């Protein structure tokens, strides 16, 4: 079993829709939860960072963590064509610097 | 403030040759991480270095791969005697301190013929 599972997609939604991206994980030691966005042929860029269970909002983006079920979500409201990218969840153990990435979900927003 | 820089951006090698990938961290960052992204797979951690020290190399293949981060100059990921399975995108990230946000470079795409 992989430590982090993520549906690779591809996922296509119309512009303006709400997008839900999800990951599950098996490692109970994960304490920090990151979402990275990666445009084609580019490096990942940090989108959201959360520490504990609950929600964190930043503009059109909301990150949600449920440690009891080991479930991580990223919601994108009012999706835009510029949101078309691959989204990677990346949890991290406390005291351990390495990030454990999911395979990424390829998202396309259709104008 | 320039971001993480990696060069070359594309590298073609024949089987058996050596590949050297360079990473210059962001200004003020002394922690460097290397990740590998195989086709249709997520990024996999390889190694974490601080200036002149390897802190965690748990993701490095046991043979042919090595990494360094000298006191002066960029971090180098070196792959000796490359094989076709080494073809991948190699990303470097840097952070100002431990457990801080990791900022990624644009990657080096290695193709082994």
């Amino acid at each position: 079993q992989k430590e982090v599972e993520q549906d690779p997609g591809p996922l296509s939604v119309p512009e303006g829709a709400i997008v839900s991206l999800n990951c599950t994980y098996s490692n109970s030691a994960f304490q920090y939860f990151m979402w990275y966005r990666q445009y084609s042929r580019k490096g990942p860029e940090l989108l959201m960072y959360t520490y504990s269970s609950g929600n964190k909002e930043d503009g059109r983006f909301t990150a949600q963590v449920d440690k009891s079920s080991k479930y991580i979500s990223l919601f994108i409201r009012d999706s835009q064509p510029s949101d078309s990218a691959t989204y990677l969840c990346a949890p991290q153990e406390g005291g351990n610097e390495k990030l454990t990435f999911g395979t990424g979900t390829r998202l396309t927003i259709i104008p | 403030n320039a971001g993480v820089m990696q060069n070359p951006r594309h590298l073609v090698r024949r089987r058996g040759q050596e590949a050297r990938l360079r990473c210059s961290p962001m200004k003020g960052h002394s922690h460097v991480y290397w990740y590998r992204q195989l086709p249709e797979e997520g990024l996999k951690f390889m190694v974490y270095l601080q200036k002149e020290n390897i802190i965690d190399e748990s993701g490095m293949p046991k043979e042919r791969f090595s990494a360094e981060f000298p006191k002066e100059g960029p971090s180098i990921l070196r792959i000796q005697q490359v094989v076709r399975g080494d073809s991948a995108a190699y990303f470097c990230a840097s952070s100002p301190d431990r457990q801080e946000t990791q900022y990624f470079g644009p990657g080096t795409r290695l193709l082994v013929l």
Side-chain angles (χ1 to χ4, degrees):
Chain A
Q1 182 188 8
K2 291 183 179 179
E3 277 191 291
V4 181
E5 299 275 2
Q6 186 174 9
D7 186 339
L11 179 63
S12 295
V13 300
E15 184 177 354
I18 296 174
V19 177
S20 172
L21 303 165
N22 309 294
C23 285
T24 58
Y25 64 92
S26 57
N27 186 347
S28 299
F30 287 146
Q31 294 185 15
Y32 305 94
F33 303 90
M34 272 65 76
W35 282 95
Y36 280 82
R37 178 174 61 192
Q38 186 176 22
Y39 290 111
S40 180
R41 315 296 284 178
K42 303 287 187 184
E45 57 176 326
L46 183 66
L47 201 57
M48 297 284 287
Y49 161 78
T50 54
Y51 170 64
S52 58
S53 282
N55 292 357
K56 182 175 181 180
E57 192 174 314
D58 185 0
R60 296 184 297 109
F61 299 89
T62 300
Q64 193 173 78
V65 176
D66 183 347
K67 286 187 176 181
S68 62
S69 59
K70 297 187 177 64
Y71 198 81
I72 316 164
S73 299
L74 178 71
F75 299 96
I76 307 174
R77 291 184 301 281
D78 188 24
S79 54
Q80 305 293 313
S82 59
D83 295 328
S84 298
T86 296
Y87 290 81
L88 304 151
C89 62
Q92 184 183 40
E93 294 182 19
N96 189 334
E97 279 63 34
K98 76 175 187 181
L99 297 171
T100 304
F101 283 88
T103 53
T105 299
R106 188 177 301 172
L107 173 67
T108 300
I109 306 299
I110 305 166
Chain B
N1 185 10
V4 177
M5 298 175 67
Q6 290 188 249
N7 66 81
R9 295 291 306 277
H10 300 275
L11 183 62
V12 180
R13 286 288 178 265
R14 296 191 180 279
R15 282 179 296 169
Q17 291 184 320
E18 178 180 288
R20 281 185 176 241
L21 288 62
R22 294 176 200 79
C23 169
S24 296
M26 289 178 69
K27 188 176 180 180
H29 289 195
S30 59
H31 299 252
V32 165
Y33 316 80
W34 285 94
Y35 293 82
R36 176 166 65 173
Q37 188 172 37
L38 293 167
E40 306 305 322
E41 292 189 23
L43 286 86
K44 303 288 186 201
F45 169 81
M46 299 182 75
V47 63
Y48 160 45
L49 310 101
Q50 204 179 346
K51 282 286 187 181
E52 300 185 273
N53 291 305
I54 296 174
I55 307 299
D56 180 357
E57 57 182 346
S58 60
M60 286 281 269
K62 293 292 183 284
E63 298 177 347
R64 302 187 296 108
F65 285 72
S66 62
E68 63 177 12
F69 188 16
K71 188 176 180 181
E72 301 290 338
S75 174
I76 307 285
L77 180 67
R78 182 183 178 202
I79 312 172
Q80 295 178 290
Q81 299 176 324
V82 296
V83 301
R84 286 204 175 125
D86 297 332
S87 295
Y90 292 82
F91 290 95
C92 165
S94 73
S95 67
D97 205 342
R98 297 187 65 161
Q99 294 274 278
E100 296 274 354
T101 298
Q102 296 180 25
Y103 295 88
F104 283 79
T108 293
R109 281 156 183 82
L110 171 66
L111 177 61
V112 179
L113 301 176

